[in-house]
Amino acid sequence: MIIYSSNALQFREAVETNQITLDIEQAYIQKMGKRPIQGERMAWNNSMQFMERVIRNSEIPDDCGILIEYNIPSTSKRIDFIIAGKDIHEQDNFVIIELKQWDSAKATEKEDVVVAFIRRRNRETPHPSYQAWSYRQYLTDMNEAIQNNDLKGHSCAYLHNYHEPKTYDPLKNEVYSSIIKEAPLFYADDTKELQKFLYKHVGKGNGVNLLYLIENGKIRPSKKLIDHINGLFKGNPDFIMLDEQKVAYETIMSLTKDLTSKRTIIVKGGPGTGKSVISMNALGGILSKKKNVKFIAPNAAFRTVMVDTLAKQQVRDKTRTRVLFAGSGQFYDCESNFYDVLVVDEAHRLKGKGAYQYKGVNQIEDIIKASKLNVFFIDDNQRIRPDDIGSVEEIKRIAALHKSEIYEIELTSQFRCAGADGYLNWVNDALQIKETANFNGWDKSTFEFQLFDSPHELLKQIKEKENNGMKSRMLAGFAWTWTKEDEGNRNGEIDDVIIEEHDFSMPWNGRAISTTWAVHPDGIDQIGCIHTSQGLEFDYVGVIIGNDLKFDPKTMTLYADYDEYKDTVGKKGLKKDPAKLTQLVKNIYKVLLSRGMKGCYVYCRDKNLHNYLLERIQLTNS
């Protein structure tokens, strides 16, 4: 979506008559349906004055096209400034200019990340050249008109208030040299160089028609992006499909061939059945067919780890891959059938009206409406909060409303927990989730389960596994409060998980690494929660079951303790519904207990629960 567009002449006249900010604001209100914040208005008023002088002095033709605040399709990102036109060779070009009002910055050790004063405090943010490059890469990868019309993209960053320090310039630190080559960096004293840069690429004008191409180009993956993503899948052992996973994948791919009618595929499977392996392969397979596809996951940590696993920690690869991933809350105002295919993993975590920052009514309906084919990977027993509305029944109901033909696939084979189907059956039975779990034991030599009397011993075992090269993490139920960030707890500085009777304490996973905790080096010294581990897997997990789940020896039942369960959102409205609360808390622990591929170690704070589980595990050895 273009917020404001004009030719170069109209832009210069609007700035000269002090109308540009008003023009952009009126266009913003019309297109976005809301008023811009004061900071945006001030930025337009300031930055456009500098851009007008650059364009005027560069002597580029009046018929170059100008875009301001271009809303990148299917994202919430907006590009500050685009100028389009022909170069001396009659090549159609567009130049993305990332505008910054910074007058200082600091370098970091993180690739393409700097620290700048933003919204009244110092924040980590992408390097300006990286931002400009990433926007250009997205348009080149995903805009069909740019691909088909041989429209070539360029990018740069312009910091019009920034003067290069005489001794050391943090923004030109060696760690940023490669990205600056991709998108040159211009400062307050570099306006002549910027003018030459623009004239080189659009100096022959005739660019207004190019605005139409950019605005109306269909969202389709380019061949280069397809080849790039396929290259990431090849030889990646994390995404090899086995047995029924392959059958499920091929079923999805066969239904992708015909998109003339709306279809809904529901893939059902418990923990460890390989839903995420299939969903990720489906993304790659559908992309290779040049379909407009997006991978949706409600959990940000899950999305981040999937991108990291695919791109193997390469920052630029992650950027190109990340454009194919999305949260579940952004489709509420998407036009019908905008996407060919939407692949939804962890669909049991989809939300309804009133969920945090969600502006729609029902995320399942948003997704079905927005796509010709939608694929939901789901486990009805992994809903963990009252606002989790994702269920097979609800998907079927909404699919029927939209006349979407329903296909169901069920996964039964266990590929996590060393293939120990019996262990997962035992967990279901022991947590009293399924009475007919048909538990009959499992091979203890392939999957290790152990109860510990001390959380210290539990932590010691997990750290030993990690030190021996096995991906291991500590997990816990939400039985301890979480000190807020504004109270000095940004990255696990405060030990919130405290077990007084054992003089044990550890911090929750830090907010600064909440989406990468599962793969971050600091993660081993922090305890993960359900929101940073659901959908992921480790070699070994150490699970602390807090006082939020207890066992009553008189009734022989498990129950959730409302006061001990500290997730205020997770227990909202459930004080008088103990059965529902207990079900959700049991689901949480089922998820945590099924994150390990080779083993699971457990400490129970409630002694009755410890004894109950000990008796249950002893029965498996008899």
Side-chain angles (χ1 to χ4, degrees):
M1 178 195 299
I2 298 173
I3 302 299
Y4 173 91
S5 66
S6 71
N7 60 35
L9 175 62
Q10 292 167 337
F11 170 73
R12 293 202 314 269
E13 290 176 344
V15 175
E16 289 171 358
T17 57
N18 290 320
Q19 286 294 306
I20 189 63
T21 299
L22 182 60
D23 289 348
I24 299 174
E25 182 178 24
Q26 289 176 340
Y28 184 98
I29 295 170
Q30 181 182 0
K31 299 287 183 67
M32 304 294 288
K34 60 182 180 180
R35 290 189 174 276
I37 61 175
Q38 183 64 21
E40 287 180 310
R41 294 185 78 262
M42 292 174 64
W44 296 331
N45 199 49
N46 187 9
S47 295
M48 295 309 135
Q49 306 289 332
F50 287 94
M51 282 308 304
E52 187 277 332
R53 286 195 289 273
V54 167
I55 289 174
R56 171 164 38 86
N57 293 328
S58 67
E59 298 183 350
I60 62 172
D62 292 342
D63 61 353
C64 280
I66 302 287
L67 300 182
I68 298 175
E69 296 292 346
Y70 174 65
N71 195 172
I72 302 175
S74 74
T75 78
S76 60
K77 302 297 183 182
R78 300 204 305 271
I79 298 173
D80 292 334
F81 202 97
I82 301 178
I83 185 165
K86 293 180 180 292
D87 63 16
I88 193 172
H89 304 293
E90 295 297 315
Q91 165 72 50
D92 290 331
N93 289 326
F94 67 91
V95 181
I96 289 174
I97 306 171
E98 176 66 21
L99 299 170
K100 297 293 184 189
Q101 300 187 76
W102 305 351
D103 55 17
S104 64
K106 296 179 181 178
T108 74
E109 296 179 353
K110 299 178 181 178
E111 187 173 356
D112 300 334
V113 174
V114 299
V115 172
F117 192 76
I118 303 171
R119 291 193 289 274
R120 299 182 181 180
R121 70 171 186 166
N122 286 320
R123 298 173 184 265
E124 287 189 342
T125 186
H127 190 284
S129 292
Y130 175 87
Q131 280 187 278
W133 167 82
S134 65
Y135 295 154
R136 182 192 80 203
Q137 191 66 59
Y138 180 93
L139 291 182
T140 303
D141 280 339
M142 297 299 293
N143 189 303
E144 191 174 55
I146 291 174
Q147 302 156 24
N148 293 345
N149 291 277
D150 194 28
L151 183 56
K152 189 173 182 181
H154 306 272
S155 54
C156 66
Y158 181 32
L159 283 65
H160 47 74
N161 294 336
Y162 190 100
H163 294 272
E164 185 169 2
K166 293 181 179 180
T167 53
Y168 165 71
D169 183 6
L171 288 178
K172 291 184 178 178
N173 186 294
E174 180 61 27
V175 297
Y176 307 127
S177 59
S178 63
I179 195 61
I180 293 174
K181 288 180 182 178
E182 294 282 353
L185 193 61
F186 299 103
Y187 295 153
D189 302 321
D190 300 326
T191 54
K192 289 186 178 180
E193 286 76 11
L194 176 57
Q195 290 162 19
K196 292 177 184 178
F197 181 81
L198 295 182
Y199 189 85
K200 175 183 177 181
H201 294 302
V202 299
K204 292 302 177 180
N206 194 22
V208 175
N209 64 310
L210 302 180
L211 306 185
Y212 178 84
L213 293 177
I214 295 173
E215 167 74 353
N216 293 283
K218 290 183 178 180
I219 301 302
R220 285 279 188 277
S222 68
K223 185 180 184 302
K224 288 184 178 180
L225 178 63
I226 291 170
D227 292 343
H228 174 74
I229 298 298
N230 284 341
L232 298 180
F233 274 104
K234 284 181 180 178
N236 193 325
D238 293 302
F239 300 112
I240 295 175
M241 295 179 291
L242 302 173
D243 301 335
E244 67 176 13
Q245 296 174 348
K246 174 67 171 173
V247 175
Y249 166 80
E250 292 298 342
T251 301
I252 294 168
M253 293 307 299
S254 67
L255 292 170
T256 306
K257 294 177 182 178
D258 181 10
L259 298 177
T260 57
S261 60
K262 192 178 282 288
R263 291 175 171 177
T264 295
I265 303 174
I266 303 172
V267 184
K268 299 177 288 186
T273 50
K275 296 188 297 297
S276 296
V277 172
I278 304 167
S279 65
M280 286 290 288
N281 275 282
L283 170 67
I286 295 166
L287 186 70
S288 67
K289 303 297 182 184
K290 271 207 113 176
K291 304 297 183 184
N292 180 16
V293 59
K294 207 99 170 182
F295 185 102
I296 300 172
N299 189 329
F302 175 77
R303 293 196 304 274
T304 300
V305 172
M306 287 298 100
V307 171
D308 285 354
T309 303
L310 188 59
K312 296 298 183 185
Q313 303 296 325
Q314 299 300 310
V315 172
R316 312 282 165 75
D317 285 349
K318 285 196 290 185
T319 297
R320 297 187 72 185
T321 304
R322 196 178 293 118
V323 301
L324 300 171
F325 289 73
S328 55
Q330 69 181 54
F331 301 90
Y332 67 95
D333 59 351
C334 186
E335 65 182 80
S336 296
N337 297 327
F338 178 84
Y339 293 93
D340 293 325
V341 186
L342 290 176
V343 178
V344 189
D345 208 342
E346 301 289 306
H348 33 268
R349 298 302 314 276
L350 294 174
K351 307 297 184 186
K353 185 177 182 179
Y356 178 66
Q357 290 189 337
Y358 173 51
K359 299 177 181 179
V361 176
N362 185 306
Q363 291 180 355
I364 297 173
E365 184 158 27
D366 297 344
I367 290 163
I368 290 177
K369 179 184 174 185
S371 55
K372 299 170 186 174
L373 173 69
N374 31 85
V375 189
F376 295 89
F377 291 82
I378 190 166
D379 178 4
D380 276 346
N381 290 317
Q382 287 198 49
R383 296 197 300 276
I384 62 169
R385 277 180 163 177
D387 59 3
D388 291 345
I389 64 167
S391 69
V392 172
E393 180 182 356
E394 181 69 356
I395 293 171
K396 287 182 176 180
R397 182 186 74 82
I398 294 175
L401 286 176
H402 289 267
K403 296 180 172 55
S404 183
E405 189 175 0
I406 299 170
Y407 296 82
E408 292 187 69
I409 300 171
E410 185 152 13
L411 306 171
T412 57
S413 297
Q414 173 61 225
F415 294 91
R416 197 186 290 147
C417 303
D421 296 277
Y423 171 70
L424 267 298
N425 287 337
W426 180 83
V427 170
N428 276 327
D429 195 60
L431 292 180
Q432 300 173 358
I433 291 173
K434 290 183 180 179
E435 293 183 2
T436 57
N438 298 321
F439 161 68
N440 57 4
W442 71 91
D443 185 351
K444 304 300 191 300
S445 65
T446 60
F447 185 80
E448 184 182 359
F449 180 87
Q450 188 174 348
L451 281 168
F452 286 85
D453 295 319
S454 162
H456 292 288
E457 186 62 28
L458 178 71
L459 176 61
K460 178 182 177 183
Q461 290 293 326
I462 288 298
K463 287 201 169 186
E464 283 184 5
K465 295 295 184 184
E466 177 78 5
N467 291 335
N468 289 330
M470 285 171 275
K471 188 168 65 173
S472 306
R473 286 294 184 270
M474 291 285 288
L475 304 171
F478 214 149
W480 291 267
T481 53
W482 202 317
T483 303
K484 296 178 180 179
E485 183 177 349
D486 58 11
E487 295 174 0
N489 192 33
R490 173 154 176 75
N491 196 27
E493 291 85 356
I494 296 177
D495 288 349
D496 280 325
V497 181
I498 300 173
I499 303 175
E500 294 90 346
E501 58 270 30
H502 287 280
D503 193 24
F504 175 89
S505 63
M506 280 186 73
W508 283 116
N509 53 257
R511 289 176 174 85
I513 61 169
S514 61
T515 58
T516 59
W517 165 85
V519 293
H520 197 282
D522 293 343
I524 189 63
D525 295 312
Q526 301 173 349
I527 294 182
C529 66
I530 183 67
H531 305 297
T532 49
S533 61
Q534 190 169 27
L536 305 179
E537 57 187 26
F538 309 90
D539 291 322
Y540 285 86
V541 291
V543 180
I544 297 177
I545 302 179
N547 278 331
D548 54 337
L549 186 65
K550 297 177 179 178
F551 179 75
D552 186 343
K554 293 182 180 179
T555 61
M556 296 295 289
T557 57
L558 283 82
Y559 67 97
D561 188 319
Y562 181 89
D563 293 328
E564 293 286 349
Y565 183 47
K566 305 302 182 181
D567 186 353
T568 55
V569 176
K571 65 182 182 180
K572 185 178 180 180
L574 297 180
K575 190 166 188 177
K576 296 183 180 180
D577 192 351
K580 179 67 179 294
L581 178 66
T582 296
Q583 184 60 54
L584 294 176
V585 172
K586 289 194 296 185
N587 284 352
I588 289 172
Y589 282 111
K590 173 186 175 177
V591 172
L592 299 182
L593 292 169
S594 60
R595 295 306 93 192
M597 294 186 291
K598 297 178 180 178
C600 176
Y601 303 143
V602 176
Y603 166 77
C604 298
R605 198 170 185 192
D606 179 61
K607 288 299 181 183
N608 288 330
L609 180 57
H610 173 89
N611 294 334
Y612 163 73
L613 292 179
L614 185 61
E615 290 178 5
R616 292 302 308 271
I617 201 66
Q618 287 173 346
L619 290 175
T620 71
N621 299 321
S622 60

